[in-house]
Structures are given as C-alpha cells and as structure tokens.
Amino acid sequence: MSENPVPVASLWEWQFDGLCRTTNPDTFFHPEGERGPSRRHRDERAVAICQQCPVIQQCREHALTVREPYGVWGGMTEEDREAFYREQDTGQLA
C-alpha cells in the first residue's frame, strides 16, 4: 500500500506568517545593476526585518534547500547563501 501524497500547500503555509508579506518586495530583491552602498543598505534593511520574523528558520531552510539564487531569504543575502554553499561543498570534500 502506498502513502498518500502530502498536500503541497502544507509545505508553504509558513509563508503566510512572514513579515515580508507586509513589506515591499523591493526591500528583499535588488534591482538590476544595484551595487555598493545602496545594495548593502537595502540588504541590511531586509536582514533586520528577517531577524524579527517568526518564520525565519523555515524561510532559511527553504532558501538553502532549493538554492534560492536571488534576494534575502531567512536573514541571508545572496552572498551569505553562496558562502554557505561553498563551506558545505568544501566540508564534504574534506
């Protein structure tokens, strides 16, 4: 006998509680060509919102699992996630 599939919606319900839902998405995703202090300050604002979010852990786990390429997720910038992946890849080779 096979298991019944899990409803997909249950995998995403945590997103309803994210503080990002009430914040302009531009806070979490950089416009094309944004660099330097502008990008750093926008990322810092996004990470600060994430630090207060009740679903930061679920969001971070999602982003790391699917290797989310863009934006701030779970308090991690694109660069933070890339550093995490490099560390994981290096650790697996050791």
Side-chain angles (χ1 to χ4, degrees):
M1 190 179 294
S2 65
E3 289 185 30
N4 291 329
V6 176
V8 175
S10 68
L11 300 175
W12 299 96
E13 286 178 350
W14 59 268
Q15 291 185 2
F16 291 119
D17 296 325
L19 292 180
C20 57
R21 289 182 55 86
T22 59
T23 306
N24 185 331
D26 293 344
T27 303
F28 299 93
F29 297 94
H30 66 84
E32 188 172 337
E34 181 185 52
R35 295 188 179 116
S38 295
R39 184 165 178 171
R40 189 174 60 253
H41 293 307
R42 185 196 41 73
D43 280 346
E44 288 170 354
R45 286 190 308 274
V47 168
I49 292 168
C50 292
Q51 296 303 318
Q52 302 302 312
C53 186
V55 294
I56 186 173
Q57 192 59 44
Q58 294 96 320
C59 184
R60 180 176 293 174
E61 289 172 6
H62 161 75
L64 293 173
T65 299
V66 302
R67 288 189 171 238
E68 193 64 60
Y70 303 111
V72 174
W73 290 77
M76 296 179 82
T77 65
E78 296 167 16
E79 293 78 15
D80 294 336
R81 290 191 305 280
E82 285 301 320
F84 176 85
Y85 303 142
R86 279 192 304 277
E87 184 177 305
Q88 293 298 309
D89 293 343
T90 302
Q92 290 176 359
L93 297 176

